[in-house]
Amino acid sequence: MADDLGRAREGGAVTGRPDTSTYRASKFIGRHRVAVGAIAFAATALVAGTAISVWQAQRAEAASARYLEQLAFTQTRNHQLRELATTLIFEVYDSVATLDGATPARLALVQNGVAYLDELSLQLEDDPSLAIDLVRGYARLADVQALRTIGSMGDTAGAFESSTKALDVARRLQAMPDAPADAPMLLAMAHRVRGDLRRAIGDHEQSVAEYAAGRRAARDAIDRLPGQARPYRFAIGLALQQGAAERRIGRSRDALVSYAAARTAIDSAIELDPEDTDTRRNLTILLRREGDLLLAEGREAEAQAKYEEGVGVLRVLMQTEPNNRQYESELSIQLERLGDCAMRRKDPTSALERYEAAHELAKQESDRNPGDLLSLSRLSIAIEKLADAQHAIGNLEQAADLAAESAAMTAEAAAQDPLNHGLHLDSLFIRGKAARMAIDAGRDSAAELMAVADAANELSITAPRDSYPASIELDALAALVNADPSANPRLALSLDRLRSAFGTESWFKTAAEALDLSRPPTAKPSVDPDS
């Protein structure tokens, strides 16, 4: 009993009751309340923490599943957007590209497709396939916005924005780890678009630089893809465009080198792919450009042979693809050139036949494609050529009326695209011709001639190496001095300014002759000084 009382005071177990584990545990807890409380708290926290961790893990697993599901949905949606965009820009676009009246439809297709690509471009990172779609899409949008290939909506500013995006993405593509072997062709494409736009606004020096950069990229692609015709096609187009730009700024020898490179690339492409129609169409363009150089040198027979060869190739192509507008447009130009050869031979009747055939094609194209700036400007040039032939035949009233119609049409085209320098120069040139023909028909157009000369003078000073505005200025002033000799000083000043750059050109010599003829002959002295 005494022992039990002692143990009871200390909180221990007593022998006077059954010795169970529960009884011993209660006594142990009583003696160690603080320690047991701490242990109980820790155990409770451990259990609770484990339960929370399990709950959080279950939530995280559910969230992860939802994330993966959302990611899969986003990836599927992006894939669908890309499929839709590429279908609109390429497959549907290509199916209507050469059809009549398709320009507004082409613009809508490309705009919608590129809108999808714009959204996807935010996720570009290092995705080569998306980069390829973007470059091709932006380049195609620029083409339908402003470039004079198979149609134009007259939005040069918008085309520059699209071309900038194309070039930026093309450059990024070259540095991507998984970029395909044909990546340089996308860079060549972007430079080609930029070069064409530079030519359109009159920046021919920079256009040559763009084409040269594109040709370097094309050569890289040729090296990477031996035995394939595709990179040669890029090289052909770039060499043709570079040659045209070089000729425009008086670098005819460089143009010949570029055209020779184009011919070599054409031969290689045809050897690799004899059925490729694009290469054969480029062959007709090369033949025309070579003919233009020959005609400018006075070698009419050789030039005519080039143009006739081009016409033959085009007629074969038109049998293969009768609905392709590009062939009809190129054929119209080639027929005009044959008319030009006849005019050089002093055979305006034969020239008129060629011009009428060209005009018929241009008129059909314009009627079928309202709103297409390319068709409108082509038709205006065809009418201008008719005016030339009628004037040479002696039908001066009819010639003046046709020239006025052409001038109004070209002015309309230029007004629709304010940044297109080439269109504005065409408009100014035909205005000057219409004024000259009006004077020949007995109409007063001296003020219009002076206005044309003043406008061309401003453009010529801005672009001193561009022969086009310089020739327009001198043509107008030469016609003006024939009607009003008081304009002699003005023509003399312009000749002095332009002599160093263009003194060997035929149009410069014609203007100089007009100045000499308009001056009064030197009076014979009444007394012979030697007598």
Side-chain angles (χ1 to χ4, degrees), residues 195-211 241-242 244-251 421-422 425 463 465-469:
D196 289 348
L197 287 168
R198 289 291 179 189
R199 282 186 66 197
I201 66 170
D203 188 357
H204 300 287
E205 294 279 1
Q206 189 58 41
S207 73
V208 169
E210 292 283 2
Y211 295 138
Q241 295 300 85
Q242 183 173 338
E246 287 166 337
R247 186 185 174 210
R248 180 66 176 271
I249 55 178
R251 291 164 52 182
H421 186 72
L425 280 172
R465 295 188 63 185
D466 189 348
S467 62
Y468 198 6

Side-chain angles (χ1 to χ4, degrees), residues 181-226:
D182 63 356
M185 286 196 292
L186 278 298
L187 186 60
M189 176 191 295
H191 280 298
R192 162 69 186 270
V193 172
R194 296 284 292 179
D196 289 348
L197 287 168
R198 289 291 179 189
R199 282 186 66 197
I201 66 170
D203 188 357
H204 300 287
E205 294 279 1
Q206 189 58 41
S207 73
V208 169
E210 292 283 2
Y211 295 138
R215 290 177 65 186
R216 289 193 293 272
R219 284 194 293 271
D220 188 11
I222 289 171
D223 292 340
R224 294 190 186 191
L225 300 167

